[in-house]
Amino acid sequence: MSRSIVRQSKFRHVFGQAVKAEQGYDDIRVSKVTWDSSFCAVNPKFLAVIIESSGGGAFLVLPLSKSGRVDKNYPLVIGHSGPVLDIDWCPHDDNILASCSEDCTAMVWQIPDHALTRPLSDPVVVLEGHSKRVGIVTWHPTARNILLTAGSDNLIIVWNVGTGEPLLSMDDHPDLIYSISWNRNGSLFCTTCKDRRLRVCDPRKREVVAERLAPHEGIRPMRAIFTRDGNIFTTGFTRMSQRELGLWDPTNFEEPIALLELDTSNGVLLPYYDADANMVYLCGKGDSSIRYFEITEEPPYVHYLSTFSSKEPQRGMGFMPKRGVDVSKCEIARLYKLLDKKCEPITMTVPRKSDLFQDDLYPDTAGPEPAMEAEEWLDGRDEDPILVSMRDGYVPPKSRELKVAKKNVLDSRPTTRRSMSTLETNSLPVNTGDVYVLWSST
């Protein structure tokens, strides 16, 4: 008699759980604009949500600690003259946020550490270069002050926000760009387009280095993200409008590494990737569930783990960077689910009995320090993210001012970096050699 062998994985029993009602964020008028972005961005300090507003575009920025009901007169960020379509927190400064809008501009904002006391209408820099609405904004993962924007003019522009000037642009896409994702070191990015092609682009050479026609045969929008191994994970639709996911090797686009049909639904599946655990969370707009998968080197390569289900459909989703999760509760991911009138945090937890730090769940993760300057990246240098330890929990650094200078060099002063060995030495417990004596009375 044959016996089935269960696949060994430390993430096989990950479960999702919504936080208590008082820990959510209520009375938020989530935007109703018809655009397939996540409408939400989150980091270890702040939650940002694109909201419905009259007379232009606005979004709400809340400190994570300010849970509960949001006052209807709470100050907003109101610089755009058209609806805001996408927002993204800078990975190297938790107080810097980029936004883009139907008004054909992208803007970069400096958010103060305390809660806003009046509406914020003055961005640090305005990026004007698109002739139609700007629908995608995404930061470079390792270089300081590099920001990518894509618009309905089918143009991709890479900016240095320290100077407020465009560094390079690409016009290789003949139709609307659906999604853009940088690889781990920021040397390449992948795009999906309305012409049904998946492309891998080298921005500094201004060329498409690989492309695949119709990784998913359906005509509905696709999404694509780079994994840490350099493969590309995609979501799309079959010819019969079934939702589908795929894993591809960009050096050999002929056959997929994995292709898996899911269900029949209209909502575009937005993938959120955890590079440390090599897990993908799939959130469909209009769905009331979050599916999660693990990517491995063994067949079938993409392993279904479980589904978190709730009663209300989601309007959007935010994904917390790994340095913002609670390591003491074995939390490996936190998603912020947007509903019609509120935002509900959802924790993803690995069940463990021990209260000790779990080394296998928390490898060193990408920290807030940039690995290089904008000019170094433009000159052809590639660097992986600078990693930090999760052992003692994450303490957000003090905010830094973003200085914008209208010149080609960002800053003349050298950046100081501490070596990892110094950080690790400082974080070790000190043995004082104290002796404790127990007295007993006779």
Side-chain angles (χ1 to χ4, degrees):
M1 180 172 134
S2 65
R3 190 186 207 172
S4 63
I5 299 174
V6 176
R7 184 180 69 90
Q8 293 297 313
S9 170
K10 52 182 171 276
F11 302 115
R12 202 157 56 85
H13 299 291
V14 171
F15 66 95
Q17 189 172 23
V19 301
K20 295 177 181 176
E22 61 269 18
Q23 294 175 301
Y25 307 85
D26 295 326
D27 284 355
I28 298 175
R29 305 184 310 276
V30 178
S31 173
K32 292 182 171 63
V33 67
T34 54
W35 185 253
D36 282 328
S37 78
S38 57
F39 291 167
C40 179
V42 65
N43 69 14
K45 284 186 179 180
F46 298 104
L47 167 71
V49 179
I50 303 173
I51 64 166
E52 193 74 16
S53 67
S54 57
F59 56 92
L60 176 73
V61 179
L62 294 169
L64 287 186
S65 58
K66 196 172 177 61
S67 56
R69 183 178 172 274
V70 178
D71 192 311
K72 65 178 181 180
N73 296 318
Y74 190 86
L76 305 175
V77 183
I78 54 172
H80 287 285
S81 59
V84 179
L85 299 179
D86 196 16
I87 50 178
D88 193 29
W89 287 105
C90 177
H92 308 127
D93 190 331
D94 287 340
N95 294 73
I96 299 294
L97 177 72
S99 62
C100 62
S101 164
E102 284 192 5
D103 63 9
C104 307
T105 67
M107 297 183 181
V108 179
W109 306 86
Q110 177 109 27
I111 308 297
D113 273 329
H114 54 80
L116 290 175
T117 55
R118 56 189 174 87
L120 183 60
S121 57
D122 297 321
V124 181
V125 62
V126 180
L127 307 174
E128 298 177 309
H130 291 279
S131 59
K132 293 185 180 178
R133 66 179 182 176
V134 187
I136 297 172
V137 61
T138 178
W139 292 91
H140 191 282
T142 60
R144 189 196 306 270
N145 289 348
I146 295 288
L147 181 70
L148 181 150
T149 61
S152 296
D153 52 2
N154 309 334
L155 189 66
I156 296 173
I157 303 178
V158 178
W159 306 82
N160 180 348
V161 300
T163 63
E165 296 171 353
L167 297 178
L168 48 91
S169 63
M170 293 183 66
D171 57 0
D172 299 83
H173 295 74
D175 214 328
L176 180 67
I177 300 165
Y178 287 138
S179 70
I180 296 181
S181 169
W182 292 98
N183 66 353
R184 187 162 174 80
N185 65 5
S187 59
L188 303 169
F189 58 77
C190 65
T191 68
T192 57
C193 180
K194 197 173 181 180
D195 69 353
R196 298 174 61 214
R197 288 183 182 270
L198 168 64
R199 292 175 173 87
V200 179
C201 304
D202 186 331
R204 289 169 296 192
K205 293 181 180 177
R206 295 174 175 82
E207 66 181 21
V208 178
V209 295
E211 65 180 312
R212 157 84 194 203
L213 174 63
H216 302 283
E217 294 183 346
I219 60 173
R220 292 184 57 76
M222 295 183 295
R223 287 288 185 276
I225 51 171
F226 264 109
T227 69
R228 69 183 184 196
D229 304 319
N231 294 326
I232 297 176
F233 182 91
T234 61
T235 65
F237 293 80
T238 67
R239 194 173 294 172
M240 304 300 292
S241 292
Q242 279 200 302
R243 293 197 291 196
E244 189 175 48
L245 60 83
L247 187 65
W248 305 82
D249 179 358
T251 61
N252 179 20
F253 265 148
E254 293 301 318
E255 290 293 329
I257 300 173
L259 202 61
L260 181 64
E261 288 186 8
L262 294 178
D263 59 5
T264 303
S265 182
N266 291 328
V268 176
L269 284 171
L270 305 178
Y272 296 91
Y273 179 62
D274 178 355
D276 299 326
N278 218 11
M279 285 176 59
V280 177
Y281 300 85
L282 297 185
C283 312
K285 278 202 169 185
D287 289 6
S288 55
S289 61
I290 301 170
R291 295 181 182 85
Y292 38 106
F293 298 79
E294 184 180 3
I295 300 173
T296 68
E297 296 179 354
E298 303 87 32
Y301 305 106
V302 179
H303 304 268
Y304 169 75
L305 293 175
S306 188
T307 299
F308 168 81
S309 296
S310 56
K311 293 179 180 179
E312 297 184 70
Q314 55 230 15
R315 298 281 306 281
M317 193 71 68
F319 189 69
M320 174 68 79
K322 184 55 74 79
R323 54 196 174 89
V325 302
D326 188 347
V327 298
S328 60
K329 296 179 180 177
C330 293
E331 180 187 17
I332 61 164
R334 193 184 313 152
L335 297 102
Y336 286 72
K337 175 179 175 177
L338 293 186
L339 308 172
D340 274 337
K341 292 288 180 67
K342 66 178 180 178
C343 177
E344 181 181 67
I346 297 165
T347 64
M348 296 290 176
T349 308
V350 178
R352 292 281 171 95
K353 293 181 179 178
S354 172
D355 292 332
L356 299 176
F357 178 75
Q358 307 292 315
D359 300 81
D360 58 328
L361 296 183
Y362 301 107
D364 289 354
T365 191
E369 279 297 316
M372 56 186 161
E373 299 298 322
E375 295 75 26
E376 294 175 310
W377 176 79
L378 193 59
D379 290 339
R381 183 175 164 191
D382 293 323
E383 292 286 346
D384 284 340
I386 295 178
L387 305 180
V388 295
S389 172
M390 300 276 291
R391 178 171 289 276
D392 296 321
Y394 175 70
V395 179
K398 293 181 179 178
S399 63
R400 299 184 288 260
E401 284 288 327
L402 175 66
K403 296 178 180 177
V404 178
K406 290 292 182 182
K407 55 182 181 177
N408 288 331
V409 291
L410 172 62
D411 210 342
S412 57
R413 59 183 170 78
T415 57
T416 57
R417 294 195 192 118
R418 289 184 292 174
S419 66
M420 285 303 295
S421 58
T422 309
L423 289 173
E424 288 164 0
T425 305
N426 291 341
S427 64
L428 291 174
V430 179
N431 184 6
T432 59
D434 292 340
V435 178
Y436 298 93
V437 180
L438 295 176
W439 295 90
S440 60
S441 57
T442 56

